[in-house]
Amino acid sequence: MNDVASSAIFCRGLKKYYPDVKAVDGLDLSIARGECFGLLGPNGAGKTTTIEILEGLITADAGEVEVLGMRWEGHEAELRERIGLALQETQLNEKLTVLEVLRLFRSFYRAGPSPAELMKQLSLDEKMNSRVGKLSGGQKQRLSVACGLVGDPDILFLDEPTTGLDPQSRLQLWDVVARFRSKGGTVLLTTHYMDEAQRLCDRIAIVDHGRLIALGTPAELIASLQASNVVEFTTQPLLAEAFVGAIPTQHGFIRHGEGWQLRVDSLAVSVPAIIASIEKSGTRLVTLSTHEATLEDVFVSLTGRELRDE
Amino acid sequence: MSEYNPPVIELTVTRLKEFLRETEAIFWVFGFPLLLALALGFAFREKAPDRIPIGIVDAPNAKQRLALLSRSPALLPRIYDPAAAEQVLRTGKVSLLVEGTGVVIYRFDATRPDSRVARLEADDALQAAAGRRNPQPVRDQLVTERGSRYIDFLIPGLLGMNIMGTGMWSVGFNVVNARTRKLLKRLIATPMRKSDYLAAQFLARLGFLFLEVITLLVFTRFVFGVRVNGSWLLLGAICVAGAAAFSGLGILIASRAKTIEAVSGLMNVVMMPMWLCSGVFFSYERFPDAAKPYIRALPLTALNDALRGVMTEGLSAARVAPQLGIMLAWGVVSFLVGLKIFRWQ
């Protein structure tokens, strides 16, 4: 989709094996400048390892990485000036205030916004003299992102930026990402929230077991399901597979928990057919629900598992 | 961008602020050495030497002996019946038993120094009472001059131990804490220079070193009258060299430890031999000659020797130069090795 030269981030054949797990197992990515790119996958899919290799914090066992057209080895000093990041979990100095932390991080960079500007941008100005240890989870996370923005980076890496945050804090962080992008910034983020990926990202790579299993815009990925709706139902006892396969307008079905999940075009046709099949089979309907197809369904259809099945 | 300090200054200032906001750290750096000095100072304060308890085996002449032996300022005699006398000698409640009629019999364990002293004192008292005269006139002169008391020996040792302890802990604990909290990883994801971070650990250490030394010296000056006989400037230089040695060692020890427990264990392994050997509480002159060159090469020995030299003997810079050299060498080498093998993640 992008050639190497115009890529903000590019990697090919990326591999990182740990003794017990293949964290990244041959990953190719090309992220354009100005793009917001999401790595979506369940816990343990290799998202953090991947993003940390791209951030130059972990060395890959194999593969090439280029960031802003440069390799990490030999260009680390230059690249560190031009990227910003928030690690999945960093506990900043608890005894320092928000302002002190930002001043400290600001001192590392040649240029960038002032701590005052950043605090205003991230709605931290009321907390400027509060100790980091006293901040809420959302405020800490915003401070963490502020530390990523303090050098006025070209690329912002965010590893699970909203995990564990309340809905309002998530919205605030999404705003920050949107504002960064509006100024031409490139964003690479990992998440296991499909709504976050769907809302923020231009393109999404779905990864599982360190491999890329799907890549595209959220709309493309959902379209790849070839169905706009998903029906989930459970019966007592389980409905035989032959009955499920015969239900009209469907584009596939999988076992899902105690029951079945079907991707269908038309709820109006499929749902009555499901109920009829259940009656015919002599089983008893326990639950039935429907929803519009989402990225979660893309993941389930690709892997047979849910994104958050932990 | 001149409105921002250089990173090394920002790192140092934030480290100092962090430290000063840590109540427990303040206690260990400032409060604990004062309490230790106070406790030891009172335990070894100037007072009449303890009298040594001795036993007199009950016999017709026991009362008379009790009166004679009681005149000795070094002895605390008591009469015991024979069975009890046996018991108190064996359990060490008395250092000597005096018995016998006609010939005086001393029963004691010759390997115990206090027993030997008691034997001499008791014999002196009994011989004098029996009419012995000393042909050689003698006079005792007791040493209580400032500078030669135990407290004068102790305070430089405590100061040295404190510079070691707080230096290694403040650096080692802080670094490992930052590593476990992934703060180190976050910092190296910025353009910050790694050497700046480690140098700031040392610079911040100097900041509270000053306060720590002054507190202890002022306190012991007023409570125990411990004086600094040499140059204050030289004393300051020695403390800085000591801080350099132990910040360097702290960085080396913390360079790879992943947990606070691991670094605590390493700290103790490194500090324990120095507590014992480097002349904090007693002089290392008691160790065998073969061990002394190694003991003198330890950074705490160098620090304690230099501090004592300047505080009690008022030595010049030239005389403590070898000790300064030893400390700086420890500091520089361990800093460089630590930086080389440092684990940032």
Side-chain angles (χ1 to χ4, degrees):
Chain A
M1 187 173 259
N2 306 281
D3 61 316
V4 179
S6 70
S7 291
I9 301 168
F10 167 83
C11 71
R12 185 160 49 203
L14 212 56
K15 281 185 185 168
K16 182 74 184 177
Y17 293 178
Y18 292 111
D20 49 339
V21 66
K22 294 177 176 180
V24 184
D25 194 15
L27 200 60
D28 303 336
L29 292 174
S30 179
I31 299 162
R33 291 184 196 225
E35 189 173 27
C36 180
F37 192 94
L39 281 176
L40 184 65
N43 291 340
K47 301 189 302 290
T48 295
T49 309
T50 304
I51 200 169
E52 291 191 352
I53 291 171
L54 300 176
E55 289 164 346
L57 293 172
I58 298 179
T59 318
D61 296 335
E64 294 169 57
V65 176
E66 273 181 27
V67 178
L68 297 165
M70 289 176 272
R71 288 171 188 277
W72 274 104
E73 52 279 16
H75 298 94
E76 177 157 5
E78 169 70 12
L79 282 172
R80 291 272 169 244
E81 288 281 353
R82 292 179 59 189
I83 69 163
L85 56 89
L87 297 173
Q88 194 176 117
E89 39 180 315
T90 301
Q91 293 160 298
L92 295 159
N93 321 48
E94 301 234 310
K95 303 273 174 187
L96 297 180
T97 67
V98 169
L99 178 60
E100 285 162 350
V101 168
L102 286 174
R103 282 193 65 93
L104 175 66
F105 275 81
R106 178 63 187 79
S107 78
F108 302 146
Y109 293 89
R110 282 195 295 258
S114 70
E117 279 171 63
L118 275 174
M119 287 187 293
K120 193 149 171 274
Q121 222 184 86
L122 285 118
S123 322
L124 285 167
D125 31 6
E126 282 175 24
K127 291 285 165 187
M128 69 182 259
N129 292 318
S130 303
R131 301 264 175 98
V132 173
K134 302 259 189 264
L135 298 180
S136 71
Q139 290 160 344
K140 277 185 188 164
Q141 194 55 35
R142 271 180 280 148
L143 176 60
S144 177
V145 173
C147 289
L149 291 170
V150 78
D152 193 19
D154 296 338
I155 306 177
L156 183 60
F157 294 86
L158 300 172
D159 193 1
E160 306 259 356
T162 64
T163 298
L165 295 191
D166 59 273
Q168 201 201 340
S169 299
R170 296 181 72 197
L171 287 174
Q172 278 178 317
L173 264 176
W174 290 355
D175 278 348
V176 172
V177 172
R179 225 171 308 144
F180 176 72
R181 291 199 56 207
S182 71
K183 292 188 289 181
T186 307
V187 180
L188 172 59
L189 64 85
T190 71
T191 183
H192 59 250
Y193 295 122
M194 57 191 176
D195 55 335
E196 183 164 283
Q198 208 157 350
R199 163 111 180 232
L200 284 179
C201 297
D202 299 318
R203 283 193 306 145
I204 291 163
I206 298 181
V207 290
D208 193 29
H209 300 304
R211 293 177 154 278
L212 184 70
I213 54 173
L215 176 72
T217 65
E220 283 168 354
L221 290 171
I222 292 167
S224 73
L225 289 171
Q226 299 171 305
S228 51
N229 290 286
V230 174
V231 185
E232 291 171 0
F233 67 93
T234 54
T235 56
Q236 266 309 335
L238 186 71
L239 187 63
E241 191 169 334
F243 284 105
V244 184
I247 289 162
T249 86
Q250 66 165 297
H251 295 272
F253 62 90
I254 57 165
R255 267 296 298 279
H256 182 253
E258 301 292 293
W260 296 99
Q261 187 189 74
L262 289 85
R263 304 192 301 280
V264 301
D265 285 331
S266 166
L267 292 175
V269 176
S270 302
V271 173
I274 290 168
I275 292 170
S277 295
I278 292 168
E279 277 171 5
K280 208 161 74 185
S281 70
T283 60
R284 189 169 56 82
L285 180 64
V286 180
T287 62
L288 185 144
S289 65
T290 70
H291 62 260
E292 272 187 56
T294 66
L295 287 172
E296 176 106 32
D297 301 308
V298 177
F299 185 82
V300 171
S301 80
L302 288 170
T303 66
R305 290 182 292 121
E306 288 191 58
L307 267 173
R308 279 171 289 160
D309 54 4
E310 287 84 6
Chain B
M1 297 294 281
S2 56
E3 61 180 304
Y4 301 102
N5 294 320
V8 69
I9 302 293
E10 277 291 337
L11 284 163
T12 305
V13 170
T14 49
R15 173 75 193 104
L16 273 174
K17 283 180 180 167
E18 266 186 294
F19 168 75
L20 291 172
R21 290 169 189 173
E22 194 91 47
T23 327
E24 302 90 327
I26 297 285
F27 169 75
W28 288 107
V29 171
F30 299 113
F32 180 68
L34 294 190
L35 288 180
L36 202 56
L38 203 59
L40 290 168
F42 280 116
F44 295 99
R45 72 189 182 281
E46 294 145 83
K47 57 172 184 184
D50 283 332
R51 288 167 166 243
I52 304 171
I54 62 170
I56 300 163
V57 180
D58 203 2
N61 62 358
K63 285 253 158 50
Q64 190 199 348
R65 275 192 186 154
L66 180 67
L68 292 176
L69 290 170
S70 295
R71 285 187 208 154
S72 165
L75 299 176
L76 190 65
R78 247 187 87 180
I79 296 172
Y80 295 92
D81 64 57
E86 198 68 43
Q87 162 83 12
V88 291
L89 179 66
R90 197 162 19 125
T91 54
K93 289 202 175 92
V94 298
S95 302
L96 176 78
L97 279 186
V98 183
E99 58 186 329
T101 47
V103 175
V104 179
I105 299 167
Y106 299 119
R107 285 177 60 191
F108 64 104
D109 178 350
T111 63
R112 286 180 51 185
D114 56 333
S115 295
R116 296 206 301 270
V117 171
R119 151 81 177 71
L120 291 172
E121 290 285 345
D123 193 49
D124 251 12
L126 293 179
Q127 299 289 4
R132 187 181 74 182
R133 292 289 168 264
N134 293 328
Q136 171 66 58
V138 296
R139 183 165 60 89
D140 289 344
Q141 185 166 2
L142 299 180
V143 176
T144 52
E145 282 167 42
R146 290 219 168 88
S148 57
R149 302 163 304 166
Y150 179 66
I151 189 81
D152 298 300
F153 175 86
L154 180 68
I155 293 305
L158 279 187
L159 190 58
M161 187 177 80
N162 202 40
I163 289 173
M164 170 172 84
T166 54
M168 295 199 15
W169 280 113
S170 68
V171 172
F173 189 83
N174 185 251
V175 165
V176 175
N177 197 23
R179 184 178 294 126
T180 56
R181 297 159 66 95
K182 296 199 179 169
L183 183 56
L184 286 183
K185 187 174 183 176
R186 181 64 190 88
L187 288 173
I188 57 153
T190 72
M192 179 195 79
R193 278 162 46 196
K194 294 171 180 176
S195 53
D196 278 355
Y197 176 79
L198 297 179
Q201 296 286 334
F202 169 65
L203 291 175
R205 170 75 190 110
L206 287 188
F208 53 87
L209 171 79
F210 178 75
L211 296 173
E212 172 185 338
V213 170
I214 291 295
T215 314
L216 189 64
L217 289 182
V218 167
F219 178 81
T220 53
R221 167 78 180 80
F222 286 106
V223 176
F224 299 114
V226 174
R227 288 164 189 282
V228 176
N229 293 317
S231 147
W232 278 87
L233 199 63
L234 183 56
L235 187 71
I238 291 166
C239 292
V240 169
F246 293 113
S247 306
L249 269 177
I251 284 170
L252 179 60
I253 286 168
S255 62
R256 301 194 67 76
K258 280 181 177 165
T259 61
I260 294 295
E261 290 79 3
V263 81
S264 304
L266 280 174
M267 291 277 178
N268 285 327
V269 165
V270 171
M271 291 200 286
M272 187 71 83
M274 290 195 270
W275 282 327
L276 297 176
C277 302
S278 291
V280 174
F281 300 102
F282 58 88
S283 168
Y284 60 81
E285 292 300 328
R286 295 181 185 217
F287 286 100
D289 283 341
K292 281 180 195 162
Y294 301 101
I295 291 176
R296 288 203 188 95
L298 294 173
L300 184 60
T301 317
L303 178 58
N304 285 344
D305 284 353
L307 288 172
R308 286 207 178 96
V310 171
M311 285 178 68
T312 59
E313 295 172 59
L315 295 185
S316 67
R319 294 280 304 280
V320 296
Q323 279 81 19
L324 287 171
I326 289 172
M327 286 187 273
L328 291 177
W330 274 100
V332 170
V333 171
S334 47
F335 181 88
L336 291 178
V337 174
L339 180 61
K340 182 100 185 148
I341 66 170
F342 204 86
R343 194 203 299 270
W344 290 91
Q345 306 201 7

